[in-house]
Amino acid sequence: MRAARRLDSLPIYVFALLDAKLKMARAQGVDVIKLDIGSPDGPPPADIIAALARSASEPTRHGYAGYFGTPALRRAMVDYYASRFGVTLDVVNEVLPLIGSKEGIANMALAWLDPGDLALVPDPGYPTYRMSAYMVGAEVYDMPLLAENGFLPRLDAIPSEIAQRARLMWLNYPNNPTGAVASLSFFEQAVDFCRRYQILLCHDAPYADVCYDGYRAPSLLAVPGAKEVAVEFNSLSKSHNMAGWRVGMALGNATALAALVQIKSNIDSGIFLAVQDAAVTALTGDQSWIAGRNAEYQERRDLLLDVLGNDWGLSVAKPQAGLYLWPQIPVGYTSASFADRILLETGVSVTPGSAFGPHGEGYLRISVGQTTQRVRVAAERLRGFRF
Ligand SMILES: Cc1ncc(COP(=O)(O)O)c(C=O)c1O
């Protein structure tokens, strides 16, 4: 017996490898502080949890949920896009609830790419864009995200024969892992580019509500006409501290969403109705707590920036959004060897930039998703680290 050959082209998910290292460190008695993975440390507000409990206690909320999400959830998602981003969407054809955005991202490749098709993916980037293309036998063209371009891909550097072959482009702002943000005018250029070459533009925006210093991230769908070529993925995981609940959404181009639901209806059977009901509460209730939560992240960002920039003297940008710092490592190390040394000597776990693609080499990704008290301890340990 053997597993499918397609697994040969898939490296083990980076965080599974990291977990093995952490187990070893913990077995040696190290108090590990995990600044590697980007999961919010806090729970959602009590009214969201109460809505889940209330709905879960209803006898009628335990059956199969259907493929399209409840009308109330679809309406809440569309209304959220209208009030938060000024984007108007059709509640029937232009929104699709997902079991977390990761599921939708992976299934989008099944829905849109045939074997041998080409996907344009950011490098460094969230690994699922690349892996989902590989899983369906598609090819990947890397769009380098370089510091000198503000970690935006240079669309004019994509060769025209590549653009003509491409069927799908992934973008992600606020960006994981670089922490970069994109302006609406960059999104306009991306929409123009994808319209010219008839490429499905998939914009992944799960950090749009994790912003600092008064910044507000735009939606790509706010570009006039974007829906002709674009789908945006979003999620309650980071915006509402609901990463484990698995609620995401895809919005925009109706043809792409119809293809996605056709695939999904053969794979999953929807989101637990009680979770959908609680997600409605999350999206329609008081959103003011988000600013307080972001202020906490911002404090952690500043604690870590102080060490990386002032104590270590590394080149590191101050992110205006997202959960991550993206410092450049000192010469003489690979990102993996530097991350290993940090873990070994301080017990602080960070992610090597190479985990996100070849152009992530030379960087570390450091997350603010631990309590402020733990981040403070981590910052003190890191301050004493010599390299
Ligand atoms: C860029 C990006 N997209 C998607 C996801 C997946 O989020 P979800 O929890 O909605 O599946 C993550 C999670 O870390 C992410 O960083």
Side-chain angles (χ1 to χ4, degrees), residues 25-224:
R26 286 190 177 116
Q28 288 160 16
V30 179
D31 167 33
V32 173
I33 304 181
K34 278 173 64 63
L35 303 187
D36 45 44
I37 207 154
S39 189
D41 57 294
D47 60 331
I48 301 174
I49 297 170
L52 173 71
R54 205 167 41 244
S55 181
S57 65
E58 295 270 341
T60 56
R61 299 312 265 164
H62 297 271
Y64 288 119
Y67 304 118
F68 299 96
T70 63
L73 182 56
R74 297 165 72 90
R75 166 56 55 202
M77 288 172 167
V78 163
D79 288 351
Y80 161 67
Y81 256 67
S83 64
R84 168 65 181 83
F85 300 110
V87 170
T88 308
L89 294 157
D90 181 273
V91 76
V92 176
N93 299 316
E94 293 178 343
V95 59
L96 181 64
L98 302 170
I99 309 173
S101 58
K102 187 179 192 177
E103 171 266 292
I105 292 165
N107 281 323
M108 197 69 239
L110 264 177
W112 208 256
L113 297 173
D114 286 313
D117 278 353
L118 189 64
L120 308 176
V121 306
D123 167 23
Y126 181 60
T128 305
Y129 312 140
R130 171 185 304 273
M131 295 307 159
S132 58
Y134 290 158
M135 282 194 277
V136 301
E139 291 170 29
V140 160
Y141 178 86
D142 288 323
M143 300 184 294
L145 305 187
L146 305 177
E148 62 255 39
N149 301 324
F151 297 111
L152 299 170
R154 272 196 51 197
L155 302 176
D156 58 356
I158 299 172
S160 70
E161 64 276 15
I162 294 291
Q164 273 153 13
R165 266 192 64 206
R167 299 250 308 127
L168 195 156
M169 176 191 283
W170 282 106
L171 292 177
N172 158 229
Y173 294 96
N175 186 254
N176 173 12
T178 68
V181 296
S183 65
L184 202 58
S185 85
F186 171 75
F187 287 154
E188 272 164 15
Q189 291 167 34
V191 168
D192 278 353
F193 183 90
C194 288
R195 190 183 285 124
R196 188 164 359 124
Y197 291 103
Q198 287 299 292
I199 297 169
L200 178 67
L201 175 54
C202 290
H203 181 236
D204 185 23
Y207 300 95
D209 275 329
V210 182
C211 296
Y212 310 124
D213 306 318
Y215 173 74
R216 269 169 84 76
S219 162
L220 182 137
L221 296 176
V223 173

Side-chain angles (χ1 to χ4, degrees), residues 292-374:
R293 188 270 321 272
N294 289 349
E296 278 181 47
Y297 288 161
Q298 188 175 317
E299 186 185 349
R300 301 170 196 174
R301 175 201 68 175
D302 293 342
L303 282 167
L304 291 165
L305 264 179
D306 183 43
V307 175
L308 298 169
N310 294 334
D311 295 278
W312 290 12
L314 301 184
S315 162
V316 55
K318 187 182 206 173
Q320 286 178 283
L323 286 175
Y324 312 108
L325 292 151
W326 185 243
Q328 224 168 350
I329 61 170
V331 284
Y333 290 94
T334 63
S335 59
S337 69
F338 197 52
D340 279 350
R341 255 203 75 185
I342 294 171
L343 176 62
L344 207 70
E345 293 179 33
T346 69
V348 178
S349 174
V350 300
T351 312
S354 55
F356 303 96
H359 283 90
E361 185 48 80
Y363 292 88
L364 294 179
R365 193 192 76 170
I366 304 181
S367 162
V368 298
Q370 289 291 342
T371 63
T372 306
Q373 190 217 345
R374 286 294 271 172

Side-chain angles (χ1 to χ4, degrees), residues 225-248:
K227 284 189 286 190
E228 289 165 33
V229 290
V231 170
E232 186 155 278
F233 290 80
N234 210 320
S235 167
L236 302 198
S237 292
K238 326 283 171 169
S239 62
H240 292 77
N241 291 0
M242 290 166 68
W245 297 47
R246 315 311 299 138
V247 191

